[in-house]
Amino acid sequence: MTQLAQSGGLQGSNPVINISIFVAFVVVTLVVVLRASRTTKTASDYYAAGRAFSGPQNGIAISGDYLSAASFLGIVGAIALYGYDGFLYSIGFLVAWLVALLLVAELLRNTGKFTMGDVLAFRMRQRPVRAAAATSTLAVSFFYLLAQMAGAGVLVSLLLGISNPVGVSLVIAVVGVIMIVYVLVGGMKGTTWVQIIKAGLLIAGAAAMTLWVLAKYGFDFSALLQGAVDKAGADGQRLLEPGAKYGTSEISKLDFLSLGLALVLGTAGLPHVLMRFYTVPTSREARRSVVWAIFLIGLFYLFSLVLGYGAAAMVGPETISQAPGASNSAAPLLAQALGGSVLLGFISAVAFATILAVVAGLTITASASFAHDIYANVIKKGEVSDKQAEVRVARITAVVIGAVAIVGGILARNQNVAFLVALAFAVAASANLPTILYSLFWKRFNTTGALCSIYGGLSIAILLIVFSPAVSGSETAMLSGVDFQWFPLENPGLVSIPASFFLGWLGTVLSGEHDEAKYAEMEVRSLTGAGAEKASSH
């Protein structure tokens, strides 16, 4: 992936078709966003879409938020090259939603208003906890944003054949500007509709390709697997067995365990996923939205299994590994093998649409956290006289975050995008989830514990990644020319997540302060919804 921006595009790719389909998507979604903007007046409209979306609608939007281009291209490629081990990514991403459904979704919707900071500040000291929550949200959102923007540059090289650094930078800037327009004009309502449209396109495209691949093998999955084994040559059998990627050494097995832990626990701590629970009118709808998301995401990952082995059977692991972008080219190469430049154009446009939608969701989450937690509750101490001021601050923040993401994406266009995504999941799992779970379920948990958990988890996760093989000391490292790594695992989850839970416990026990009455009130509200934030009347 790191060499992608220096390579040419796929042979047979028609940039005119690719750009035409992408422009059509942008035009349609901008019309939708403009229509949505007519009803975006209050902070509730801007942050939570007026709580006007149903569970199924929000579930589709969540799946759109979650199924990023990196997920689509990366997982199909991982299955094509590593078979069984590649599919374990899908398992980790999907199982993570059970944590969100059973432990977080309903309780969070009942307790909070717009952001994660609302939940944490419910029974603790407002200003320090909100500042910590906003810091963590901005850190996760920034690294996720950086990965998506850098991914945009990667896709440009791969699908449009633009290898000129200036051209790649220009397209990253265009993606960033369109995203800023979505957020500024449509707020959460416009962004949610973009997510719904994009999810429909992505799942429909994957379904069509899946049926096409199966039809080539008489709808016999065993025949497809055999085709993949035969195409891979002498060591083709490894595609059906565990260990092709993570079975070579004890360290690689620990690395897989660490990555799995980060993926399973990180999802329920991702700020842009958590914020989606506030766009529905009730906690019941929040629960329904997660069920819908699990169904759609699970269906997509089943498609990815067929597409991955389909790419291995019809294109071949050797061809994929030698193509621009290596494993990330598996899905486009399969599309090209099935339907030529037209299907490739559709898949490339869907990939771009995916980046736009995910980046818009991340930007509105980060801007809402800054405006609501830092500006309204820390700087203004909850006393904002002008009700529109908070929304104005959120919009200004969105522009700033968008500009930073564009610059960061341009600077990181040749960097390891997978490293940035792993960092976002590791930080979310280390800093956010332990604090959320302690706040919801532990009576003694207090402000000191929350600050230790958030700042400690955040610091440890970032520190370990900086000194890991993901950044230096290996061929695939972010900085391949230097070696200052001492932490053996590429993902810090195995160490940083337990450490965050421990620091939260230690800070709470050592300080001793807690408000049992406030916890009792929070427990009743989180479980019953009594006093929860209601849907807007308009």
Side-chain angles (χ1 to χ4, degrees):
M1 208 161 189
T2 52
Q3 288 85 29
L4 243 119
Q6 298 151 353
S7 310
L10 294 178
Q11 286 188 337
S13 172
N14 188 331
V16 175
I17 293 176
N18 298 351
I19 293 171
S20 298
I21 298 173
F22 178 60
V23 169
F25 171 83
V26 170
V27 170
V28 170
T29 50
L30 280 176
V31 170
V32 171
V33 167
L34 287 169
R35 285 178 63 86
S37 69
R38 296 175 186 172
T39 55
T40 300
K41 296 182 177 68
T42 65
S44 177
D45 292 332
Y46 188 77
Y47 296 147
R51 312 190 199 280
F53 285 95
S54 66
Q57 286 175 326
N58 195 44
I60 297 170
I62 287 174
S63 67
D65 228 344
Y66 196 66
L67 297 171
S68 68
S71 173
F72 173 43
L73 299 175
I75 288 177
V76 171
I79 293 171
L81 293 184
Y82 305 112
Y84 182 95
D85 279 18
F87 188 56
L88 291 175
Y89 277 90
S90 298
I91 302 297
F93 279 128
L94 183 59
V95 169
W97 281 101
L98 293 177
V99 179
L101 173 65
L102 299 175
L103 297 178
V104 173
E106 184 179 358
L107 305 179
L108 206 73
R109 170 62 187 82
N110 283 339
T111 312
K113 186 176 182 182
F114 297 132
T115 66
M116 181 180 76
D118 291 329
V119 179
L120 304 185
F122 190 92
R123 61 189 183 99
M124 298 175 197
R125 296 201 304 276
Q126 291 267 330
R127 298 177 75 187
V129 169
R130 283 190 184 276
T135 302
S136 173
T137 297
L138 289 169
V140 176
S141 299
F142 174 71
F143 287 111
Y144 221 115
L145 266 174
L146 208 59
Q148 298 300 322
M149 298 300 283
V154 165
L155 281 167
V156 170
S157 304
L158 181 64
L159 301 166
L160 301 184
I162 300 173
S163 55
N164 184 339
V166 176
V168 174
S169 300
L170 186 62
V171 175
I172 290 175
V174 169
V175 169
V177 169
I178 295 171
M179 168 268 294
I180 291 169
V181 171
Y182 283 157
V183 175
L184 284 184
V185 176
M188 180 58 90
K189 191 170 287 186
T191 302
T192 300
W193 280 114
V194 172
Q195 301 283 19
I196 289 171
I197 294 168
K198 166 251 160 165
L201 282 174
L202 183 62
I203 292 171
M209 285 177 65
T210 299
L211 291 173
W212 205 331
V213 168
L214 288 174
K216 292 270 187 184
Y217 291 87
F219 291 95
D220 184 348
F221 188 61
S222 296
L224 172 62
L225 295 179
Q226 189 60 50
V229 170
D230 293 342
K231 189 79 171 182
D235 60 345
Q237 189 63 31
R238 70 187 181 87
L239 292 176
L240 307 182
E241 299 169 352
K245 181 172 173 60
Y246 290 107
T248 52
S249 67
E250 290 302 317
I251 287 294
S252 68
K253 291 175 183 176
L254 282 175
D255 221 347
F256 174 69
L257 183 62
S258 189
L259 176 66
L261 196 63
L263 295 183
V264 169
L265 298 180
T267 298
L270 289 174
H272 64 294
V273 170
L274 298 177
M275 195 168 170
R276 285 237 146 267
F277 300 141
Y278 299 121
T279 63
V280 291
T282 63
S283 59
R284 180 177 176 272
E285 291 299 307
R287 198 167 58 246
R288 284 183 71 203
S289 66
V290 177
V291 172
W292 270 80
I294 289 173
F295 170 74
L296 292 171
I297 292 166
L299 188 65
F300 179 83
Y301 285 145
L302 286 177
F303 293 158
S304 73
L305 182 64
V306 175
L307 296 178
Y309 279 112
M314 296 181 68
V315 181
E318 188 176 346
T319 305
I320 292 168
S321 60
Q322 291 173 357
S327 65
N328 299 288
S329 64
L333 283 170
L334 177 61
Q336 192 176 30
L338 289 171
S341 60
V342 175
L343 186 58
L344 176 61
F346 176 76
I347 293 301
S348 65
V350 167
F352 277 120
T354 297
I355 282 180
L356 268 180
V358 172
V359 164
L362 286 163
T363 303
I364 196 165
T365 300
S367 63
S369 183
F370 180 84
H372 183 64
D373 290 326
I374 300 292
Y375 173 75
N377 287 287
V378 175
I379 296 173
K380 292 290 186 179
K381 301 180 182 178
E383 298 173 4
V384 183
S385 55
D386 181 359
K387 291 187 177 181
Q388 289 301 311
E390 192 177 322
V391 175
R392 277 200 302 275
V393 170
R395 286 188 162 127
I396 293 167
T397 308
V399 174
V400 173
I401 290 168
V404 170
I406 289 170
V407 173
I410 291 170
L411 293 175
R413 67 180 183 275
N414 296 335
Q415 301 301 335
N416 190 320
V417 178
F419 152 74
L420 298 169
V421 173
L423 179 56
F425 268 87
V427 171
S430 303
N432 294 350
L433 187 66
T435 318
I436 291 170
L437 293 181
Y438 276 149
S439 294
L440 291 171
F441 297 109
W442 189 20
K443 184 187 296 184
R444 287 186 60 190
F445 193 54
N446 56 32
T447 304
T448 306
L451 297 178
C452 289
S453 182
I454 293 175
Y455 288 128
L458 186 67
S459 304
I460 292 170
I462 293 176
L463 181 72
L464 293 182
I465 287 183
V466 166
F467 293 103
S468 77
V471 175
S472 70
S474 68
E475 291 180 11
T476 58
M478 188 179 182
L479 306 173
S480 55
V482 293
D483 184 359
F484 50 81
Q485 59 103 0
W486 50 261
F487 183 67
L489 307 180
E490 289 194 4
N491 193 290
L494 199 60
V495 174
S496 61
I497 296 170
S500 180
F501 275 105
F502 172 75
L503 289 172
W505 170 83
L506 186 66
T508 301
V509 171
L510 291 179
S511 69
E513 54 168 300
H514 65 281
D515 189 338
E516 289 196 17
K518 221 28 177 160
Y519 173 76
E521 182 187 340
M522 183 178 182
E523 187 176 36
V524 170
R525 179 161 161 172
S526 65
L527 294 174
T528 67
E533 201 69 27
K534 303 301 181 186
S536 294
S537 57
H538 52 78

